Amino acid sequence: DVTQPPPATTFAQPRLVDSGEFSQEFELDFPSPIVSGAPNNDNVKLTIIVPPDQTRPIPAVLILHYWGASDLRIERSMASELTKRGIGSVIMTLPYHLSRTPPGYRSGELAIQPDPSTMRNVMLQSVLDARRAIDWMSEWPAFDKQKLGVTGTSLGAIVASLTFAVEPRLKSAGFVLGGADLAHILWNSSRVVEAREVLRKKGFTEERMREALKPIEPLNFLNRSDPRQSLVVGAVHDTVVPA
């Protein structure tokens, strides 16, 4: 159940990997609350970037990358802009991407498969990983736990929207080139043509997919009367995540 928080865990101390004039960078690994059976995938990696010489707790943003990311350049660019504004960043690697990719596969290849059950499991793992990351962010003395936000791009924005819907500790959100109504995205996106054809051959329609993905559909959890701040950034001619 995506609304249930992950079990509590004990976090290691983040490792300092770089310290410069404008920022400090740390790394932290923790076990995923979901055991997929792929050791790489079940180890979650965080990259933490903060302004140097902090004198008091600062706001912080959890940043989630796009599908198939082969590096974190975009997310690091976001973190750099946030650091200039006195805001910390925590970049989380999504399931089956980058360091979490099982041997023999491309980054993200296993994240979207033409099977609703697998899609539900991957989304559940993504959200619970994010919520466990927020557990750590709430504990780290450098961060103001009353000023935590989330943002993501494309797939990261979709995960962020569901995480924001079920995680009350998040006070604000920015969704970049993302969306909701997962069945509509799957049936109209230019990036999942092959998976869509497999689903059609299995007898799925857009409506049948909508029913199958109910447990992870952000629209079923987002609340119109939610007073928290959110920003949606879309593109008029986006064929990957249609309007």
Side-chain angles (χ1 to χ4, degrees), residues 23-46:
S23 66
Q24 286 186 316
E25 181 174 329
F26 299 82
E27 288 183 351
L28 176 69
D29 296 88
F30 61 80
S32 174
I34 298 291
V35 178
S36 69
N40 290 46
N41 184 52
D42 295 340
N43 184 64
V44 186
K45 182 177 180 180
L46 302 182

Side-chain angles (χ1 to χ4, degrees), residues 218-233:
L219 293 177
N220 293 333
F221 301 93
L222 291 164
N223 184 352
R224 286 183 180 274
S225 61
D226 193 328
R228 296 176 295 172
Q229 298 272 354
S230 62
L231 173 69
V232 178
V233 180

Side-chain angles (χ1 to χ4, degrees), residues 169-220:
R169 291 174 295 180
L170 293 170
K171 305 303 181 185
S172 58
F175 311 119
V176 183
L177 304 178
D181 192 352
L182 304 181
H184 176 80
I185 295 171
L186 285 167
W187 241 248
N188 293 276
S189 174
S190 60
R191 278 293 306 275
V192 291
V193 174
E194 189 175 322
R196 181 164 60 243
E197 288 308 307
V198 174
L199 286 165
R200 281 179 172 149
K201 288 176 182 177
K202 290 181 178 179
F204 282 96
T205 62
E206 183 175 335
E207 282 305 315
R208 190 178 166 198
M209 281 301 298
R210 189 169 286 111
E211 182 67 26
L213 298 179
K214 266 186 178 181
I216 58 165
E217 172 52 59
L219 293 177
N220 293 333

Side-chain angles (χ1 to χ4, degrees), residues 45-206:
K45 182 177 180 180
L46 302 182
T47 299
I48 304 120
I49 300 175
V50 297
D53 304 322
Q54 299 162 225
T55 58
R56 57 184 178 181
I58 59 173
V61 179
L62 179 65
I63 302 177
L64 306 176
H65 58 76
Y66 58 93
W67 180 33
S70 57
D71 57 52
L72 295 172
R73 282 182 296 175
I74 290 175
E75 291 68 34
R76 285 179 173 277
S77 178
M78 289 182 179
S80 176
E81 293 298 325
L82 290 167
T83 300
K84 294 174 186 176
R85 292 157 174 78
I87 299 170
S89 299
V90 177
I91 304 170
M92 188 188 89
T93 302
L94 290 170
Y96 299 107
H97 284 81
L98 300 168
S99 63
R100 301 181 66 178
T101 306
Y105 293 93
R106 299 187 310 274
S107 176
E109 184 177 352
L110 297 176
I112 299 179
Q113 295 292 305
D115 174 68
S117 177
T118 302
M119 290 182 187
R120 291 194 299 267
N121 290 339
V122 174
M123 181 63 87
L124 177 63
Q125 184 172 32
S126 301
V127 173
L128 290 184
D129 289 348
R131 298 187 75 179
R132 182 162 278 183
I134 294 162
D135 288 343
W136 175 78
M137 292 169 70
S138 300
E139 293 179 7
W140 207 37
F143 291 156
D144 184 344
K145 65 180 180 180
Q146 300 302 322
K147 296 181 178 180
L148 301 180
V150 65
T151 190
T153 303
S154 195
L155 173 62
I158 295 170
V159 174
S161 66
L162 184 54
T163 303
F164 186 64
V166 300
E167 180 48 77
R169 291 174 295 180
L170 293 170
K171 305 303 181 185
S172 58
F175 311 119
V176 183
L177 304 178
D181 192 352
L182 304 181
H184 176 80
I185 295 171
L186 285 167
W187 241 248
N188 293 276
S189 174
S190 60
R191 278 293 306 275
V192 291
V193 174
E194 189 175 322
R196 181 164 60 243
E197 288 308 307
V198 174
L199 286 165
R200 281 179 172 149
K201 288 176 182 177
K202 290 181 178 179
F204 282 96
T205 62
E206 183 175 335

